[in-house]
Amino acid sequence: MINKIIIVTCLFLSLVGKTYAQGTWTRKADFPGGKRIAPLSFSIAGKGYMGCGWDSLYQPKKDFWEYDPVTDTWTQKADFGGGNRVYPVGFVIGNKGYATSGSDTVSYFYSDLWEYDPVNDTWTQRANFPGIPREDPVAFAIGNKGYIATGVDTNFINQNDLWEYDPLLDLWTEKDSLPGPGRVDATGFSIGSKGYVGFGEGGSSGLLSDFWEYDPGTDSWIQKASLPAAIRDEATGFSIGTLGYAGTGGEGGPFNDFWEYIPTSDMWVQKAYFGGSARGTAGSFSIGNKGYIGLGYDVFGGTNDFWEYAPDTLTSISENKIDFPVSVFPNPFATVTTLRVSGGFQNISLTIYDAMGQEMKNMKNLSGPDIELHRDNLPPGIYLVRLTRDNKTIATSKLIITD
């Protein structure tokens, strides 16, 4: 037996449908080092770290600060080992932080690598980054390896190369370059065993919205869903559990929109707008199940406010537990599609959300080999389907409706 689910979009649903899982922003203690643009940022073992960057007079800085989310306090730590620096990047492997690249804003672009030990509050120089010296690349870590990609060199040529760092060997290895044009001011983070890079400024290609997934196991890139928002550079991003987050941005804006990326569905869902002013070149990191964004520049110049993001529960449906993969065919579709899982459906609830996280329809007690889904009045676009049983998420999938 095939369950026929007719999804009707009408005024009643638009009035009663709730905005689900937008998350909450809470302002925390301001960064005590003063207003700062293009800082270094990462987190280690329950503490966040920010420093370097430009101050309000556009002077490069080397100070470095630790944030404790339990006490909502900042403590100054040892200055960055590489001296004054703007647009550096960092990643974390185990209980150590690593920082590289950036410039002194005058004429020198750096390729030195520094390891930060939070226990001893010390910086130790490691093997120099072997790529072209640059500023404003992206950085992320996967397992026990760190990665640096993209950025702009001293000749203002954008790069798209990717390098892997092994801290045990203190060794860099060049990997498969990011497809497409070289770019600067991109955004990067990692989720599980994959890395993600996107957006930024692509030279003659202009501002970009494309988004790519890197698999270190195969040393290859796969293009993913583009950010469904205004193109931009100087955005910031982080991951919490199995989900990625990106938002804000400078050129083309500034922006304060904020988005969640669901890798299992290859879908972006808009979340609550960033709590501070629209801005670019902010710092960010995550600690536990919270994300943090602060500093950067807005229309008035540098900022030093600092904000905590707490996800709610749509896709923080967090993909708590995926019991089985769901097939959707055809997808994209214009009129009707079919959902199928091995063994069929039994007492399943199905909820559909639009790309803004708005609940469009909820159907309960579905059973049978397939679910036939009719488009009816839904406009073209990207939708998220969530399947639950006993209030537990068992599968999610992306739907694409076309004309």
Side-chain angles (χ1 to χ4, degrees):
M1 171 181 175
I2 296 179
N3 294 289
K4 295 188 180 288
I5 302 173
I6 310 300
I7 303 176
V8 181
T9 303
C10 62
L11 178 60
F12 175 74
L13 279 181
S14 69
L15 290 173
V16 302
K18 63 179 179 179
T19 300
Y20 198 166
Q22 297 304 296
T24 304
W25 290 96
T26 303
R27 186 165 183 172
K28 295 298 185 176
D30 289 350
F31 176 72
K35 296 179 179 181
R36 204 61 62 90
I37 300 170
L40 170 67
S41 60
F42 51 71
S43 64
I44 307 172
K47 303 291 178 61
Y49 296 89
M50 283 193 178
C52 299
W54 274 311
D55 67 13
S56 59
L57 299 176
Y58 289 92
Q59 296 299 310
K61 306 290 286 184
K62 62 182 178 181
D63 56 332
F64 192 65
W65 298 75
E66 178 187 84
Y67 176 72
D68 185 338
V70 176
T71 60
D72 188 28
T73 56
W74 293 90
T75 303
Q76 189 164 7
K77 310 304 277 187
D79 287 348
F80 171 57
N84 295 329
R85 196 72 57 96
V86 301
Y87 289 110
V89 291
F91 54 82
V92 173
I93 301 174
N95 61 354
K96 303 287 179 65
Y98 296 85
T100 187
S101 303
S103 73
D104 60 11
T105 76
V106 179
S107 60
Y108 194 82
F109 282 37
Y110 290 90
S111 60
D112 51 344
L113 175 70
W114 292 84
E115 177 187 84
Y116 179 68
D117 181 346
V119 175
N120 298 312
D121 188 27
T122 55
W123 292 93
T124 302
Q125 190 165 7
R126 298 303 185 188
N128 284 357
F129 170 67
I132 298 172
R134 67 195 65 192
E135 69 173 14
D136 207 13
V138 295
F140 53 86
I142 301 173
N144 61 355
K145 305 289 177 62
Y147 296 86
I148 300 291
T150 70
V152 63
D153 67 20
T154 54
N155 295 315
F156 300 102
I157 298 174
N158 292 345
Q159 304 295 313
N160 67 345
D161 51 343
L162 173 71
W163 295 81
E164 177 187 83
Y165 177 70
D166 184 336
L168 294 179
L169 300 176
D170 193 23
L171 178 69
W172 291 92
T173 304
E174 188 169 12
K175 296 294 183 177
D176 187 36
S177 294
L178 174 70
R183 70 186 70 199
V184 65
D185 298 322
T187 303
F189 51 77
S190 61
I191 303 173
S193 62
K194 305 292 176 62
Y196 296 88
V197 176
F199 331 141
E201 189 272 318
S204 60
S205 299
L207 295 176
L208 304 169
S209 64
D210 57 337
F211 189 65
W212 296 81
E213 177 186 84
Y214 175 70
D215 184 344
T218 59
D219 186 29
S220 61
W221 295 90
I222 298 174
Q223 188 164 9
K224 296 296 185 177
S226 295
L227 182 71
I231 55 178
R232 70 196 63 195
D233 64 5
E234 299 178 340
T236 194
F238 52 80
S239 62
I240 299 175
T242 60
L243 301 171
Y245 295 88
T248 69
E251 189 175 347
F255 302 99
N256 66 345
D257 55 336
F258 188 66
W259 296 79
E260 179 181 79
Y261 179 68
I262 310 167
T264 56
S265 304
D266 186 27
M267 180 177 181
W268 293 93
V269 177
Q270 188 165 13
K271 314 304 285 184
Y273 281 83
F274 170 59
S277 58
R279 69 191 61 190
T281 69
S284 68
F285 49 76
S286 63
I287 299 174
N289 62 352
K290 304 289 180 61
Y292 298 85
I293 295 179
L295 317 188
Y297 73 89
D298 61 15
V299 294
F300 299 104
T303 65
N304 71 331
D305 55 335
F306 184 68
W307 295 78
E308 177 187 84
Y309 178 72
D312 287 332
T313 52
L314 153 59
T315 47
S316 305
I317 18 179
S318 181
E319 308 177 30
N320 358 355
K321 189 171 189 298
I322 305 299
D323 283 346
F324 47 72
V326 58
S327 299
V328 183
F329 57 93
N331 194 22
F333 70 99
T335 305
V336 62
T337 191
T338 300
L339 281 69
R340 176 175 295 171
V341 298
S342 177
F345 298 92
Q346 184 174 2
N347 297 323
I348 293 294
S349 293
L350 182 151
T351 309
I352 296 180
Y353 305 91
D354 66 14
M356 303 295 289
Q358 181 80 18
E359 182 179 321
M360 304 301 292
K361 187 68 174 178
N362 184 280
M363 303 296 292
K364 298 181 179 180
N365 301 320
L366 305 173
S367 297
D370 297 323
I371 295 175
E372 190 173 276
L373 193 61
H374 290 256
R375 169 186 179 172
D376 293 322
N377 296 324
L378 283 178
I382 299 175
Y383 297 85
L384 175 70
V385 175
R386 175 193 181 197
L387 301 177
T388 60
R389 183 168 53 211
D390 298 327
N391 295 318
K392 289 170 48 177
T393 298
I394 57 175
T396 62
S397 185
K398 180 177 67 174
L399 292 179
I400 302 176
I401 296 178
T402 61
D403 282 330

